[in-house]
Amino acid sequence: MPHPAPLGDDPAALRRTLIAAHFTLDGVADCLGPLASAALHREQRLPADLVTRGDDSPVATLIRLFALGLPVGVRQLDRALAGWDTARLVAAGLVRVEGSRARAAYDLRPYGDDDHQWWVASDLSEVMTGEPLPVDHVLGIGGASTTLASWTPRRKVQRALDLGTGCGVQSLHLTAHADRIVATDTSQRALDIAAWNARLNGADWDLRRGDLFKPVAGERFELVVSNPPFVITPRVDGVPTYEYRDGGRVGDGVVRTLIRELSRHLQPGGVAQLLANWEVPEGSDWKDVVGGWFERTGLGAWVVQRDTQDPAEYAELWSGDGGLRSGATGFEQMYAAWLRDFSERSVAEIGFGVITVQLPTARRRPWLDLVEVTGPVQSPMGPTIDAGLRARTWLAEAGEQGLLGAHLTLAPDVTEERHGRPGAEDPSVIVIRQGGGLRRAFQVDTAMAAFTSVCDGELSTGQALEAIASLLDVAADVLVREALPVIHEMVADGLLLVDG
């Protein structure tokens, strides 16, 4: 693929021009409408094509050029970008001209969150080119990158590391709360495009090339974010290894290696947020597999499994991701290679999830929390992750006696559901449900329902459980033993809040 060209001598002027053309998140959404916008998000471009055909407005022109990969007239493009005509876009490497028409050399899209407006350049997708992806493809904004951005806590930090930056999506988010950002990748092409995106958005990142932590040997950070090349790819001839998704190790070795080395690169109290796949062998539980990654690391870890696939589903997904789908030449050979690779290691399923890691300070003990949540969660999840880290740290430090002495309050988003047979005097099922965060639901007994009902900060946990034990005529020590694990989980996930 062609090497990225310099972005030009005035990226700030290009930003102003894109804004003037309404090539922003709001401008694109207004132009396309909800149906075409949603389809484009799923990489289906026909609805957006139909909406913008015959529309020569600046925003429609730029959508067709940069988001759909369709040719536009040079004169039409000149009118769309006042002050940044086609010649300047060619000089900047963003487009190429074929006769009287211009085509995008890169995907360029507005991107942002509630408080920021950015633009992200990346390589043209397979949908835009109609061809399988080259192995040095630099991925743009996708489901994995937006998931990681949503789940990352946004504490103010001095130094942050974006490991495996790709085109720089995570680094853009870090600019809002990190004083200094180091971004690494094994791909020089990715680093060149990330540098491009940094200039386009007025950011300054320290970009370094190398594998995992080699570019930052001896350095520590308060925050590490990573969307690593976690895809499990067969290491055999005929199966391409894409730089953006393949880390060059067997199975889930990339993430296992990353976690083993994390403690040497986090400041005490520092946090790492990453995505991962993991292999679950036949007869094993995913919690045992992933939990084993953290043995003897000294790290606290909170792992949320979000999805699972069997080996065939996984092979179909990642063959298609590179543009090779059922019926295409070579598909069956690649599919078979994936199935053989999993079979040789007796892999029964592959899990996908989000991992939050913290290096405890000297006086705090590490903790391990593994949970499966496959349904919808709050967006963004960062505030929930931040609160959950603080809660888990407090629980590890306070221990059982500290939890018994704590004065807890019920979070405002928690509700109770009671279900029973028609005409029954008492409910047969009681559910305590969280409205936000991970949207956890706990099926509880009468005692725990009574406990949550009195969590208003007046009584300590121990005092409340003793009173409930007396009312129900059960032994207080038995009730404490049964209730404390549930209370611990509810505090960790934010259903119960520690007063003060």
Side-chain angles (χ1 to χ4, degrees):
M1 293 184 66
H3 199 70
L7 186 57
D9 57 358
D10 195 356
L14 178 55
R15 289 199 303 275
R16 291 192 297 270
T17 300
L18 295 174
I19 293 171
H22 301 293
F23 194 55
T24 61
L25 283 172
D26 289 342
V28 170
D30 290 343
C31 178
L32 294 182
L35 188 147
S37 293
L40 188 59
H41 184 71
R42 300 190 303 270
E43 296 190 26
Q44 298 294 327
R45 66 176 183 173
L46 179 59
D49 178 11
L50 294 174
V51 168
T52 55
R53 283 182 192 178
D55 184 347
D56 62 356
S57 67
V59 65
T61 300
L62 296 179
I63 289 171
R64 294 184 67 79
L65 177 69
F66 288 123
L68 305 185
L70 299 171
V72 300
V74 169
R75 290 183 180 179
Q76 182 180 350
L77 184 56
D78 286 342
R79 292 193 300 270
L81 287 176
W84 258 81
D85 58 14
T86 304
R88 290 190 73 179
L89 289 176
V90 170
L94 284 169
V95 304
R96 56 181 183 271
V97 173
E98 301 168 352
S100 62
R101 300 179 77 75
R103 281 188 175 273
Y106 295 91
D107 185 308
L108 177 65
R109 305 193 192 196
Y111 174 70
D113 56 25
D114 290 341
D115 302 310
H116 303 92
Q117 170 71 68
W118 301 302
W119 290 266
V120 176
S122 62
D123 278 328
L124 300 175
S125 69
E126 173 252 341
V127 173
M128 298 167 80
T129 64
E131 300 175 354
L133 299 178
V135 294
D136 64 347
H137 178 81
V138 177
L139 196 65
I141 304 157
S145 58
T146 55
T147 295
L148 180 59
S150 173
W151 283 64
T152 300
R154 298 300 170 189
R155 302 177 184 179
K156 180 69 176 177
V157 297
Q158 290 184 328
R159 301 189 79 230
L161 170 64
D162 178 6
L163 191 152
T165 188
C167 68
V169 172
Q170 305 309 317
S171 289
L172 284 173
H173 286 275
L174 290 172
T175 57
H177 62 109
D179 293 336
R180 184 183 176 196
I181 299 161
V182 178
T184 69
D185 208 287
T186 59
S187 165
Q188 185 59 52
R189 180 178 181 79
L191 292 174
D192 290 342
I193 292 179
W196 218 22
N197 285 325
R199 289 198 67 209
L200 180 58
N201 292 286
D204 182 18
W205 307 331
D206 181 354
L207 296 164
R208 307 180 192 179
R209 186 179 184 185
D211 183 52
L212 293 180
F213 291 105
K214 288 181 181 178
V216 292
E219 298 180 52
R220 291 183 180 267
F221 301 86
E222 294 159 89
L223 177 63
V224 175
V225 297
S226 183
N227 179 14
F230 56 71
V231 176
I232 299 166
T233 304
R235 302 299 165 199
V236 295
D237 292 339
V239 178
T241 55
Y242 294 96
E243 291 181 347
Y244 74 88
R245 74 183 199 190
D246 299 312
R249 291 165 175 81
V250 173
D252 49 27
V254 168
V255 183
R256 282 189 282 111
T257 303
L258 192 161
I259 287 171
R260 282 200 303 269
E261 297 179 0
L262 253 178
S263 61
R264 296 197 293 272
H265 297 281
L266 283 174
Q267 294 282 9
V271 173
Q273 192 75 51
L274 57 142
L275 304 182
N277 278 174
W278 42 79
E279 296 181 328
V280 184
E282 294 174 2
S284 299
D285 184 271
W286 79 270
K287 293 183 179 181
D288 295 328
V289 171
V290 179
W293 293 356
F294 295 94
E295 292 178 359
R296 296 183 295 278
T297 64
L299 296 168
W302 179 12
V303 184
V304 182
Q305 178 165 277
R306 297 288 288 143
D307 195 11
T308 60
Q309 291 184 320
D310 64 37
E313 291 173 315
Y314 195 86
E316 293 158 14
L317 171 67
W318 292 108
S319 294
D321 177 76
L324 198 62
R325 295 178 173 83
S326 180
T329 302
F331 173 81
E332 290 189 358
Q333 292 86 342
M334 189 177 296
Y335 196 165
W338 243 292
L339 295 180
R340 282 194 302 271
D341 185 56
F342 286 130
S343 178
E344 288 170 359
R345 291 194 302 282
S346 300
V347 174
E349 68 177 16
I350 303 92
F352 169 81
V354 188
I355 299 177
T356 307
V357 175
Q358 186 173 55
L359 180 64
T361 58
R363 64 189 179 89
R364 291 174 176 164
R365 295 178 293 174
W367 38 265
L368 182 62
D369 190 1
L370 303 105
V371 63
E372 184 168 19
V373 180
T374 57
V377 298
Q378 184 173 316
S379 182
M381 271 292 292
T384 296
I385 294 297
D386 199 6
L389 283 171
R390 298 182 194 281
R392 285 163 175 78
T393 300
W394 180 87
L395 286 163
E397 192 173 75
E400 183 176 299
Q401 290 306 309
L403 183 54
L404 285 170
H407 291 250
L408 305 177
T409 57
L410 196 65
D413 65 339
V414 174
T415 56
E416 179 184 276
E417 301 171 9
R418 292 178 178 251
H419 307 273
R421 297 281 298 172
E425 186 174 337
D426 297 316
S428 55
V429 177
I430 305 173
V431 177
I432 304 298
R433 189 178 299 278
Q434 181 183 39
L438 290 172
R439 299 183 181 174
R440 297 292 308 277
F442 293 82
Q443 185 171 331
V444 299
D445 58 18
T446 303
M448 270 304 303
F451 176 78
T452 56
S453 72
V454 299
C455 284
D456 58 4
E458 291 296 322
L459 299 176
S460 69
T461 302
Q463 289 170 338
L465 290 176
E466 285 184 12
I468 292 167
S470 178
L471 285 171
L472 298 178
D473 195 23
V474 298
D477 61 334
V478 173
L479 180 57
V480 167
R481 186 169 61 250
E482 293 175 349
L484 270 190
V486 182
I487 295 170
H488 185 285
E489 275 196 76
M490 287 186 172
V491 171
D493 284 330
L495 288 82
L496 294 173
L497 309 176
V498 180
D499 191 19

